[in-house]
């Protein structure tokens, strides 16, 4: 008879796909179990930490301190990293199943929602993902170009990603050069002629998705002033109710900051960050590249907490050179994994993957690919704990995998000529990046391609 999964004779083998917060919090939760366990984590990039490395704004370094927590688990002898292994491309899920009793997908939400308006993809109209990935050194986005020679840029969306994009566009190089933004991005931003950043929200100030800390920063910028029209802060009855809802104290704080901006009397600085509420983008115009965005004025209707925006057939245009669409993310499908096309997540019930509503044994999800792109980094801790709780409760029903030895997986990857990156390799890449940053007065200078990272290991 085979040994019980999780015993000293037959450790529980778990594969985690994705090395961002959803993946690392799952590992943390798994390591709290008394079972004998070993975990392999995969990432398609050689560098771990996903969103923390490639999504968090470079001028928000404190948020990245969470890496120290993840590193504790990465150095645990029960853990191994397999970076530079693309699950779904280099290795199929059907192959991966042979090496793990259970797999947790924590591969985030890597692509964008679309606006569905004419000329959405005109040159000069970018997704926030492209811009954020580009300035954060993500290898996928280094071939993007951003011509910032026009004085007006437009950012669509009222979430924190939109605030990050607006702030990076509005900051001076002096405000950014001691961060881990790439030197290439810094040199392009140094030439920027952008003087106005227009932030467009389809609903009102009370329905904004940003948080107070993020909009407060606009007031502290060296050469930019936030601009809010007092008339935009006049609320309908339902919005007044939403503002008074004590379950959402953030709304009140946001609103107070916006009121302060609307009432400001000091002379504006050289650049302006201009908030627009109740306006939806309906068309992008331009001959070969972005020249204008057409906005339709909206009204809100519906009960408090369920208000929707609808168009009024009143239009306005903003002449601009760049548009950054920051209206939320979606997960990317992996062959062999059930996908919920409506939500843009892997179909799941509290982290157990499901196909046609039925639980699929041995497959789980955590983080944004489980619940969608919401919450702060810490939200993924509770989310991953729920998934791991279910996984551990399912142990008796799991089908033990065929090749539970880590060495078998390593052999399999080598046979496929996959140059995987383990955590020690990453530590070397990391230390070279830190060294590269020193002469520039930066915390690190990132490698921006897989080839560079691998070359640094061969030295
Ligand atoms: P988000 O918070 O969901 O915001 C998306 C915004 O896009 C909303 O204002 C939404 O408006 C708007 N939108 C959606 N569809 C639209 C359309 N068709 N036309 C116009 N506007 C549209 O998403 P996010 O900014 O990508 O952020 C993702 C998550 O990461 C959030 O939880 C965020 O807080 C978090 N994050 C946190 C930080 C931080 O803590 N510093 C930084 C970055 C991101 P509606 O409300 O009307 O749908």
């Amino acid at each position: 008879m085979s040994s019980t999964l999780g015993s000293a004779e037959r450790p529980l083998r778990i594969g985690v796909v994705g090395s961002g917060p959803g993946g690392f919090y799952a590992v943390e939760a798994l390591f709290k179990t008394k079972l004998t366990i070993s975990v392999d984590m995969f990432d398609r990039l050689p560098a771990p930490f996903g969103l923390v490395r490639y999504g968090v704004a470079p001028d928000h370094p404190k948020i990245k301190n969470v890496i120290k927590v993840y590193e504790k688990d990465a150095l645990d002898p029960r853990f191994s990293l397999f970076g530079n292994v693309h699950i779904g491309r280099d290795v199929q899920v059907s192959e991966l199943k042979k090496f793990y009793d259970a797999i947790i997908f924590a591969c985030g939400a890597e692509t964008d929602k679309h606006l569905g308006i004419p000329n959405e993809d005109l040159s000069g109209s970018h997704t926030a993902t492209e811009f954020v990935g580009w300035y954060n050194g993500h290898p996928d986005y280094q071939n993007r170009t951003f011509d910032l020679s026009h004085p007006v840029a437009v950012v669509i969306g009222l979430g924190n990603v939109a605030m990050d994009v607006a702030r990076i566009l509005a900051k001076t190089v002096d405000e950014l050069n001691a961060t881990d933004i790439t030197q290439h991005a810094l040199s392009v931003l140094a030439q920027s002629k952008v003087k106005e950043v227009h932030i467009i929200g389809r609903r009102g100030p009370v329905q904004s998705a940003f948080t107070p800390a993020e909009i407060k920063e606009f007031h502290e910028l060296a050469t930019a002033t936030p601009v809010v029209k007092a008339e935009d802060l006049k609320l309908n009855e339902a919005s007044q109710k939403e503002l008074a809802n004590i379950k959402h104290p953030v709304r009140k704080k946001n609103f107070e900051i916006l009121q302060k901006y609307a009432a400001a009397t000091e002379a504006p600085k050289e650049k302006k960050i201009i908030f627009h509420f109740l306006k939806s983008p309906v068309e992008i115009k331009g001959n070969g590249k972005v020249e204008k965005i057409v906005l339709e004025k909206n009204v809100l209707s519906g009960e408090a907490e369920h208000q929707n925006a609808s168009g009024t057939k009143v239009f306005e245009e903003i002449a601009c050179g760049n548009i950054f669409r920051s209206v939320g993310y979606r997960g990317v499908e992996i062959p062999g994994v059930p996908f919920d096309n409506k939500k843009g997540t892997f179909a799941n019930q509290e982290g157990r993957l499901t196909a046609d509503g039925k639980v699929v044994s041995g497959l789980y999800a955590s983080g944004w690919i489980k619940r969608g792109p919401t919450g702060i980094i810490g939200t993924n801790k509770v989310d991953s704990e729920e998934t791991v709780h279910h996984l551990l409760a399912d142990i008796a029903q799991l089908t033990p995998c065929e090749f539970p030895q880590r060495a078998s997986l390593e052999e399999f990857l080598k046979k496929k000529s996959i140059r995987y990156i383990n955590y020690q390799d990453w530590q070397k890449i990391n230390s070279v990046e830190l060294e590269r940053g020193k002469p520039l007065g930066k915390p690190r200078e990132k490698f921006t391609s897989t080839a560079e990272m691998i070359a640094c290991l061969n030295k």
Side-chain angles (χ1 to χ4, degrees):
M1 212 178 88
S2 62
S3 322
T4 323
L5 290 181
S7 61
E9 302 76 48
R10 177 56 170 85
L12 180 65
R13 286 284 285 149
I14 307 287
V16 176
V17 180
S19 68
F24 268 107
Y25 286 124
V27 176
E28 185 181 274
L30 286 166
F31 284 170
K32 284 187 183 145
T33 165
K34 291 198 171 64
L35 299 171
T36 308
I37 189 166
S38 93
V39 179
D40 293 346
M41 178 181 269
F42 296 86
D43 201 292
R44 68 185 179 89
L45 296 175
F49 311 128
L51 184 87
V52 183
R53 177 174 161 96
Y54 291 119
V56 170
D59 56 341
H60 284 171
K62 279 192 195 147
I63 300 179
K64 299 184 199 214
N65 285 343
V66 72
I67 285 177
K68 289 182 193 147
V69 178
Y70 304 157
E71 178 145 278
K72 220 176 108 240
D73 289 315
L75 295 172
D76 189 296
R78 295 170 289 179
F79 177 91
S80 257
L81 176 71
F82 291 89
N84 199 32
V85 183
H86 195 151
I87 305 301
R89 191 194 67 185
D90 305 339
V91 177
Q92 297 309 314
V93 173
S94 53
E95 294 174 307
L96 206 61
K97 280 181 184 167
K98 294 183 187 162
F99 301 96
Y100 301 101
D101 305 316
I103 300 169
I104 301 177
F105 292 94
C107 35
E110 287 199 88
T111 191
D112 303 86
K113 285 185 188 155
H114 290 284
L115 286 171
I117 61 172
N119 287 328
E120 186 161 356
D121 295 318
L122 204 58
S123 169
S125 169
H126 322 277
T127 61
T129 307
E130 290 172 293
F131 188 56
V132 171
W134 171 76
Y135 65 62
N136 274 331
H138 192 300
D140 286 2
Y141 302 104
Q142 294 313 302
N143 62 357
R144 302 300 197 273
T145 52
F146 297 93
D147 173 359
L148 303 175
S149 57
H150 193 287
V152 179
V154 168
V155 181
I156 314 287
L158 292 178
N160 278 331
V161 173
M163 300 306 114
D164 284 347
V165 168
R167 191 179 67 256
I168 296 294
L169 288 168
K171 275 197 165 180
T172 60
V173 164
D174 280 350
E175 290 173 287
L176 290 172
N177 63 13
T179 74
D180 68 3
I181 193 166
T182 65
Q183 276 306 98
H184 172 60
L186 206 53
S187 66
V188 173
L189 290 167
Q191 302 302 317
S192 169
K193 299 279 181 292
V194 173
K195 293 282 179 279
E196 284 182 11
V197 180
H198 293 256
I199 299 175
I200 316 293
R202 67 173 166 183
R203 297 195 290 159
V206 179
Q207 292 79 34
S208 304
F210 50 65
T211 43
E214 277 60 36
I215 50 164
K216 237 174 156 174
E217 277 183 75
F218 290 142
H219 185 58
E220 293 148 19
L221 299 180
T223 61
T225 302
V227 177
V228 175
K229 278 195 202 137
E231 66 191 68
D232 281 348
L233 303 182
K234 287 182 191 148
L235 303 178
N236 67 9
E237 215 180 302
S239 294
Q240 287 174 33
K241 271 194 200 161
E242 289 177 23
L243 187 63
N245 186 340
I246 51 168
K247 283 193 202 147
H248 298 279
V250 160
R251 290 178 186 161
K252 196 164 164 271
K253 284 190 194 148
N254 277 341
F255 200 73
E256 283 166 3
I257 296 166
L258 295 172
Q259 278 178 317
K260 214 173 96 192
Y261 291 165
T265 50
E266 64 253 39
K269 296 173 194 162
E270 182 195 346
K271 298 180 206 163
K272 293 192 187 109
I273 300 169
I274 303 166
F275 283 86
H276 298 250
F277 296 100
L278 292 172
K279 290 175 192 175
S280 279
V282 290
E283 187 182 352
I284 294 171
K285 287 184 177 173
N287 188 7
K289 66 182 175 77
V290 167
E291 288 170 22
K292 284 173 186 167
I293 184 158
V294 185
L295 306 172
E296 182 174 12
K297 272 208 70 78
N298 291 332
V299 280
L300 292 178
S301 57
E303 296 290 308
E305 308 299 336
H306 303 283
Q307 292 195 84
N308 285 319
S310 49
T312 60
K313 304 274 178 239
V314 176
F315 300 94
E316 71 177 60
E317 291 182 348
I318 299 178
C320 56
N322 280 288
I323 296 166
F324 299 89
R325 291 144 21 223
S326 180
V327 294
Y329 298 114
R330 280 176 67 79
V332 173
E333 288 189 57
I334 293 183
V337 185
F339 193 74
D340 182 332
N341 205 29
K342 209 167 149 207
K343 291 189 187 151
T345 60
F346 288 175
N348 76 93
Q349 286 167 7
E350 295 179 352
R352 290 179 171 113
L353 292 200
T354 57
D356 302 322
K358 288 200 186 105
V359 168
V360 181
S361 176
L363 299 185
Y364 299 84
S366 71
W368 278 7
I369 198 63
K370 169 187 172 186
R371 69 174 193 282
T374 60
I376 56 170
I377 286 172
T379 313
N380 296 297
K381 190 169 156 71
V382 188
D383 179 291
S384 302
E385 282 167 358
E386 178 188 62
T387 298
V388 168
H389 175 79
H390 289 318
L391 187 159
L392 296 175
D394 294 345
I395 280 194
Q397 284 89 54
L398 294 176
T399 308
C401 66
E402 224 174 307
F403 305 110
Q405 303 298 329
R406 187 171 277 149
S408 314
L409 186 263
E410 288 170 345
E411 200 181 313
F412 167 79
L413 294 177
K414 280 180 188 151
K415 262 196 195 145
K416 278 185 168 258
S417 306
I418 295 173
R419 169 57 163 113
Y420 58 85
I421 301 292
N422 62 27
Y423 203 76
Q424 287 66 41
D425 292 333
W426 159 246
Q427 284 177 309
K428 180 161 181 211
I429 296 169
N430 183 44
S431 64
V432 177
E433 284 191 350
L434 296 175
E435 279 306 312
R436 280 156 47 103
K438 279 183 188 162
L440 302 164
K442 299 170 75 178
R444 74 170 62 235
E445 183 59 30
K446 289 178 188 171
F447 288 116
T448 56
S449 75
T450 297
E452 275 182 309
M453 288 189 235
I454 290 172
C456 128
L457 294 173
N458 297 335
K459 275 185 188 156

